[in-house]
Amino acid sequence: FGSRARVAPAEPRLREGMAGKSARGLEAPASLLAALCVVHLSIWCRPVDGAAAVAAISTSKVVNAAVATTSTTTVWYTTRTTAIAPGTLDASNLTRSKQALAWSPWSLEDSDDKERERCSDRFRPPRHAPERATDLNGVALPDTCFSGVGPHHIFVIGDWGGVLDGSGSPPPRPADRRTKLFPEHHRPFVVGADDVAQQNVAMQMRSRSAVIAPDYVLNMGDNFYWGGILVKCGGPPKNVTDPSGQWELVFENMYKGPGLDGKQWLGVLGNHDFGGFMFTHGWDQAIGYTWADQIPTSSGRWVTPALYYKARVRYPTFSVDYFFVDSNVFDAFSPDAASGHNLCSRDHNPKHGEATCGLQGPISVDECPTWFLRLWAAQLEWLENGLRVSHSEWQGVVTHFP
């Protein structure tokens, strides 16, 4: 697997900087691409061996700000809510982010040996939220086990979260691409579909799960349209709140019912979770919600502990290694490139130095493309190393962009 595969030296996971690693111009080995089979938004793979590291740089100061909310509506009918969580980082003095990157799956030893060896039917992210949303990049969760003779079922969903009208009241509206704002998709409005698209899918999930309950849900990203969680990025994951009501109204209240209640959602982020044509909305909130015990409406089923991570599922007669990968580099271009679908757009990101996610990065529109390229380069090596040592009968890569 991979004539260009590189194995990082076996050393502690932390390594300073990206010395000797140029992110620009990197491409996936042809053998890796040839071995991947695309299934809608997910990609399924076969095996291939490992080691690890993490990049780190710089310092910053903390803004102990109270949560405050203001709203404006754009021509895209996106309500931009600026909510700032306590502890949000002030990056005005930074020239480069502290981007945590791993080049092989790694385990966090935050529990004793018996706890790590115990295999339950619940996916177990690390007990405590990290200091920054990227700190757990590349982590391997403890094994999860499902018993019974089967058949076993999972649900797969992506591009699902509707738009709140800004008043904080339900129901979520579909992200409507058939309007004249999108000429290539324009068509007449269909009552019962275009006004309740998310509700229709949720209803079918409830109906199906009552008959064949899934073990878990694989979530392919674009969780909240149009612009992700409407909270400014840069806040600590432990300080996740729900000032916009999106977690409660668009996720928690939407997907529930017999056979679906309590089932964990393992996910990745899509480009709209960063902001669609900006990167400064609450993508790190979507990671922090993994530890949202402080939010009364949280059901505790959301599992997205990092931008990329690994989970092994063991069944009585086979096992599956899932590799969750962030592929948003394919929507992160030069700040001055076409701005309609560009996370790093200078036109759409906040001005006057406010386009920053603090120390975790990106710290600016100018760093944005390189930040995503560094992330992608590390993930390619992480994926090859993880696949190489996988002994499971199945390997699956879960990502947003196929």
Side-chain angles (χ1 to χ4, degrees):
F1 222 93
S3 60
R4 275 178 254 154
R6 294 167 295 159
V7 178
E11 60 185 26
R13 194 174 64 88
L14 292 174
R15 188 165 70 199
E16 293 293 325
M18 290 285 289
K21 290 181 178 288
S22 172
R24 292 194 175 276
L26 283 173
E27 57 183 356
S31 54
L32 174 62
L33 295 178
L36 299 180
C37 172
V38 177
V39 181
H40 185 47
L41 295 173
S42 60
I43 305 176
W44 295 89
C45 319
R46 289 306 251 180
V48 276
D49 319 58
V54 172
I57 316 108
S58 210
T59 58
S60 184
K61 60 182 179 179
V62 173
V63 177
N64 188 14
V67 173
T69 304
T70 59
S71 298
T72 58
T73 302
T74 71
V75 295
W76 298 81
Y77 300 99
T78 302
T79 301
R80 291 183 181 172
T81 301
T82 306
I84 302 176
T88 297
L89 297 171
D90 175 7
S92 59
N93 63 333
L94 294 180
T95 58
R96 190 177 178 186
S97 59
K98 186 175 182 179
Q99 186 177 14
L101 299 171
W103 282 272
S104 277
W106 58 279
S107 297
L108 185 66
E109 297 184 3
D110 66 346
S111 57
D112 58 33
D113 290 339
K114 289 184 178 180
E115 173 69 14
R116 288 196 297 276
E117 291 172 2
R118 181 177 64 86
C119 192
S120 75
D121 62 358
R122 300 291 292 176
F123 294 92
R124 292 170 291 159
R127 293 178 182 176
H128 306 293
E131 181 182 349
R132 288 178 291 273
T134 58
D135 286 352
L136 295 176
N137 278 347
V139 70
L141 304 185
D143 290 3
T144 304
C145 295
F146 292 94
S147 59
V149 295
H152 291 271
H153 303 275
I154 62 173
F155 285 174
V156 182
I157 189 171
D159 295 61
W160 49 267
V163 181
L164 295 182
D165 64 6
S167 66
S169 62
R173 295 182 293 107
D176 190 359
R177 283 210 310 172
R178 44 111 252 135
T179 71
K180 292 182 179 180
L181 289 172
F182 301 93
E184 66 275 23
H185 301 287
H186 179 58
R187 58 170 176 75
F189 189 87
V190 178
V191 176
D194 292 327
D195 51 340
V196 286
Q198 185 183 6
Q199 290 84 343
N200 287 345
V201 173
M203 179 177 64
Q204 292 302 318
M205 290 175 69
R206 283 194 297 274
S207 174
R208 193 67 175 163
S209 63
V211 180
I212 49 168
D215 292 330
Y216 47 90
V217 178
L218 294 180
N219 170 26
M220 306 300 157
D222 276 3
N223 309 314
F224 299 94
Y225 279 91
W226 287 99
I229 294 295
L230 300 175
V231 175
K232 174 73 169 62
C233 65
K238 66 180 179 180
N239 287 346
V240 169
T241 58
D242 191 18
S244 64
Q246 289 169 283
W247 287 112
E248 179 182 5
L249 301 176
V250 182
F251 174 61
E252 298 287 3
N253 291 356
M254 186 68 64
Y255 303 102
K256 58 184 181 180
L260 196 57
D261 289 340
K263 298 303 170 67
Q264 290 172 291
W265 286 48
L266 286 86
V268 294
L269 304 184
N271 53 305
H272 285 273
D273 298 310
F274 282 85
F277 49 30
M278 63 183 72
F279 66 83
T280 54
H281 281 183
W283 59 270
D284 47 4
Q285 297 277 308
I287 291 172
Y289 197 72
T290 304
W291 300 271
D293 296 340
Q294 72 279 11
I295 300 179
T297 55
S298 171
S299 60
R301 52 189 166 142
W302 186 268
V303 181
T304 306
L307 289 172
Y308 62 105
Y309 60 101
K310 173 180 175 283
R312 173 175 294 149
V313 182
R314 287 157 42 189
Y315 295 93
T317 59
F318 68 95
S319 61
V320 183
D321 279 344
Y322 290 114
F323 297 86
F324 296 83
V325 172
D326 186 286
S327 50
N328 288 296
V329 66
F330 297 108
D331 200 31
F333 310 112
S334 166
D336 300 309
S339 59
H341 225 280
N342 178 7
L343 295 175
C344 304
S345 168
R346 201 181 304 277
D347 289 342
H348 294 297
N349 274 287
K351 305 298 190 292
H352 312 299
E354 295 178 3
T356 178
C357 293
L359 193 58
Q360 66 193 357
I363 62 163
S364 66
V365 293
D366 294 303
E367 191 203 33
C368 177
T370 303
W371 189 90
F372 280 100
L373 282 167
R374 288 197 301 258
L375 176 64
W376 182 244
Q379 288 180 106
L380 288 181
E381 189 167 328
W382 174 87
L383 179 58
E384 287 204 63
N385 288 335
L387 290 170
R388 188 176 292 117
V389 297
S390 172
H391 299 295
S392 292
E393 286 78 9
W394 292 92
Q395 290 76 31
V397 177
V398 181
T399 195
H400 182 66
F401 287 101

